[in-house]
Amino acid sequence: MTQSRSPLELFAVDDLIDQEDLDLRNAVRQFAADRLAPRVGDWYEAGDLPARELAAELGKLGVLGMHLEGYGCTGASATAYGLACLELEAVDSGLRSLVSVQGSLAMFAIWKHGSQEQKQQWLPRMAAGEAIGCFGLTEPDFGSNPADMRTRAVRDGDDWLLTGTKMWITNGSVADVAVVWAQTDPDQGARGIRGFVVPTDTPGFAAPKITRKLSLRASVTSELVLDDVRLPQSAILPAAQGLSGPLSCLNEARFGIVFGALGAARDCLETTIRYAQERTLFDKSLAAYQLTQAKIADMTLELGKGMLLALQLGRLKDQGRLAPEQISLGKLNNVREAISIARECRTILGAAGITLDYPIMRHANNLESVLTYEGTSEVHQLVIGRAVTGQAAFR
Ligand code: TGC
Ligand code: FAD
């Protein structure tokens, strides 16, 4: 028997990463191993997690809005942010989601499109994990097609009245602040879809938790019900006009998923290799069968290729050159391959693979959500299709 090497070591991917980014990655990896991995199975089984306690710890670690500058944010590179997502999702996609929604969706929306007052009021507390944010774009009838959303903001004197329902909103029931997207009437001085910063204790706002989920169970998912929520003019995000406002935030979160999904895949594959080495079947180790090795070799290849793609997208983002359709390449490929790796790993574990004693089926179930949120695989195929054919086929 020769010495075994981990799949990503084989690609020497760490050679492509700056030392500063590696240091941040290693700090998140250590935190994940010490504070998250031992507890995540219980959170998953319970269908809940201590979001407030975790937000405070993640804030201390410096990963909330870590790729943003100023307002108490770490100001790390995009690549470091991606690597942090990878380490968190190696524990559970729900934990990466908590961080993605806080930093890339709620904080980024305020950081990029907000007023100075909104930034000062929310960003330092959100970076520290003292305030939790959520991002309400999806509605019951408008997921892939947010352009036709029904939530409306209408003028009432100097105020806005917000009415509608948002669906599948991560962190909704535990949030202190919701960034909510709504249609506005052009006659009322605003243009199309606009974003609003809504403190969740505003009368008329409710966020019932969605239960009975079989995926992303270590994550809070909610409905947002807005019933004539009265907001001052200062609640509108001044710099976001039209659908490009929310879509610009999705770019950030999708980028994190490009790396994050590989974390889930890495955990599945490393767990499976260890299991196969220890499991004896018929008269030898499961890892010593050619059929097992063919599976492991193919998965190693896809994990490494996904990582090279993620690092290339990270490099482009750090250079300010990353286009949305390039993010779609990464989100489509890496989530699709991660779910395929999780399912293949499950076969190698046999019955043991279906339990919470191993992370594999938990990852596989989570990746069903990851495949759907932040743009379904089909939406990303259509984005890539439009980029290479020049023809939009969404409608
Ligand atoms: P389309 O006509 O293509 O574009 C409308 C306007 O938006 C601009 N734009 C973008 N801007 C920034 N980033 C992008 N990625 C952009 N894509 C388009 C575009 O230039 C245009 O601007 P303007 O100024 O000309 O008005 O829009 P469309 O209605 O045809 O839709 C295109 C489509 C289908 C790609 C888009 O609607 C889409 O991406 N749908 C998927 C929705 C989605 O991903 N929702 C995610 C909700 S959040 C979530 O899931 C959180 S999960 C928790 C977690 O992250 O962990
Ligand atoms: P639909 O849009 O109804 O799509 C159904 C199917 O039709 C999919 O296979 C889709 O690919 C396909 N389809 C759609 N359009 C086309 C087309 N043109 N051609 C061919 N096929 C098409 N949203 C938020 O705003 N904030 C959040 O924090 C958030 N968190 C989430 C957390 C979880 C756990 C989940 C599961 C979802 C979350 N979402 C959130 C919602 C998520 O973004 C949507 O579920 C997603 O955008 C897809 O919308 P939908 O579920 O309505 O599916």
Side-chain angles (χ1 to χ4, degrees), residues 166-178:
K166 298 290 177 181
M167 194 66 182
W168 310 114
I169 306 306
T170 302
N171 297 350
S173 319
V174 293
D176 302 281
V177 60

Side-chain angles (χ1 to χ4, degrees), residues 84-93 96 257 260-261 263-264 363 367 370:
C85 287
L86 189 155
E87 296 303 328
L88 294 169
E89 196 150 358
V91 180
D92 195 274
S93 302
R96 195 266 310 133
I257 292 172
H363 283 308
L367 288 165
V370 183

Side-chain angles (χ1 to χ4, degrees), residues 96-97 143-144 146 244 247 250-251 254 324 373-375 386 395:
R96 195 266 310 133
S97 247
S144 298
S244 62
L247 292 183
L250 301 189
N251 293 335
R254 289 168 176 176
Y373 67 34
E374 288 296 352
R386 176 174 60 182
R395 289 159 211 277

Side-chain angles (χ1 to χ4, degrees), residues 276-311:
Q277 286 167 331
E278 286 161 13
R279 175 86 171 157
T280 300
L281 276 185
F282 297 96
D283 53 359
K284 61 180 180 185
S285 153
L286 177 56
Y289 286 94
Q290 289 182 352
L291 283 175
T292 312
Q293 291 201 2
K295 289 180 183 180
I296 288 174
D298 286 350
M299 291 190 283
T300 297
L301 205 49
E302 290 308 329
L303 179 65
K305 281 154 65 180
M307 194 67 201
L308 293 171
L309 173 58
L311 289 171

